[in-house]
Amino acid sequence: MKSAKEQVAAALDLDPSRDAGLALLDQFLGRVPEYAGKRNYDLPGSPYVSGLSPYIRRRLVREREVIATILQRYSYETAAKFIEEVAWRTYWKGYLELYPTIWSDFIKQRKYLPGTMNDFDLERWQSAVSGQTGIECFDHWVMQLRTNGWLHNHARMWFASIWIFTLRLPWELGAAFFLEHLLDGDPASNTLSWRWVAGLHTKGKCYIARASNIARYTDGQFNPTGQLNEQPGEIAPSRDHARVSLSEVDALTAYAFPSLSESPAGLLVCPEELTPERGPLNESPFASFCVFNSRDRMELVQAAEGVRTFVNGAVEDCAQRTARHWSAKVVHQSGKLKVASNKASSRNVGLMEDPRVYTGYVDQWVPSVLTWAQNENLKSVWMVQPPVGPWKDAAADLRRALQTRKIKLFEYRNQWDSVHWPHASAGFFKFRKGLRERVEELAGPGRL
């Protein structure tokens, strides 16, 4: 077996493309029957998990098509555990939509907490994030996270438990560390999973990392006997979070077309949903397309360079696919966009014969989108509304800015989310009731 150091040195070099995600799915298909019994083993090469999470995270590959592909080959019973693991991500997203102040509080705390810590606590925090705690498994996972941008799910749970109960560090700072470095870092599943480990999601029930469990599921590679706090006390919640209603946007269940009064219309694609050519808007006659990653959204979570590189690559892949699907030309942008001195000519907008896809890594998302819409002389912008997180934080500003310039904004919700999110208001076990029926309606045999 490779040593921990050798494993970390073999850094992941993921291709941030839809084709790469589909190839991973194809490779995983033969291992689906083993998943239920072996998924918890964190072994070199992670042989029993799919590795799809970075692709599902950005919807380079969609949940529905992952499950539909699997159900083409296996019965629901055979694939149930993997399907439920995919559903956890959907559950977390729906829960955060219904309790969005959990996210806003987390963002505030990750900025506020370091200023409240004394020198001793700051030193302990720095030792943790630099992998110098003296707990071999934890320090290895820090190196793996920083190098590869990924950790096995079981390791994430152990890591979070050790961070909270053994190192006695604020869960918010641990969640922020994950969100900085994970290629599949998701505001909902990351924030809420850390709260779950801390005992704040299911009150009175925390997750305890035990040395025996770590030794078993790492096949003896690590055994931190005597180093872990295996009898932690409860963490008091800072406050209760009120439930809100899901935002009222239309579900994308059928094809939609801009009317003549709404044209020329542009399609805005966020890095949360990077397969526009697969959805119900894929036959709409858009005059222009916008697929930007932005520095201000990345800096909100202090995303590491590896994360920014992956997202930028995924955005570029989406732009190329969008251009092929709509027979458009890709126009690369970066930094601050320039406002056109004159209105765009009729040849450049409003005609399907000459559409353009604007893409790149820009400084600020809202001003850049606004400049794109103005330069392309658009009367309406259409987009799938981003879930709670950095992009939705900016959506309200975008709405106001477009309205000021009399450009209509049409927002939609993915059908998968529209069906599942209303069931995510309590625990996962309640969400799981009816899950099979919902999944088979959306992704059952014959629905690929």
Side-chain angles (χ1 to χ4, degrees), residues 359-377:
T359 190
Y361 190 38
V362 297
D363 289 339
Q364 293 181 297
W365 188 61
V366 172
S368 298
V369 171
L370 191 63
T371 300
W372 158 72
Q374 289 180 286
N375 287 353
E376 291 291 85
N377 203 28

Side-chain angles (χ1 to χ4, degrees), residues 298-374:
M298 293 287 97
E299 288 180 352
L300 185 68
V301 297
Q302 297 182 345
E305 189 61 33
V307 174
R308 298 182 193 221
T309 299
F310 185 87
V311 178
N312 286 339
V315 162
E316 173 68 20
D317 178 70
C318 174
Q320 296 295 336
R321 282 183 281 106
T322 301
R324 288 195 297 271
H325 182 80
W326 272 278
S327 299
K329 174 186 176 182
V330 176
V331 178
H332 290 97
Q333 306 280 290
S334 63
K336 183 177 180 180
L337 270 63
K338 294 181 179 179
V339 178
S341 56
N342 299 307
K343 285 187 176 180
S345 69
S346 60
R347 176 166 176 74
N348 291 332
V349 298
L351 298 176
M352 286 300 293
E353 290 83 0
D354 195 22
R356 297 182 293 199
V357 181
Y358 287 79
T359 190
Y361 190 38
V362 297
D363 289 339
Q364 293 181 297
W365 188 61
V366 172
S368 298
V369 171
L370 191 63
T371 300
W372 158 72
Q374 289 180 286

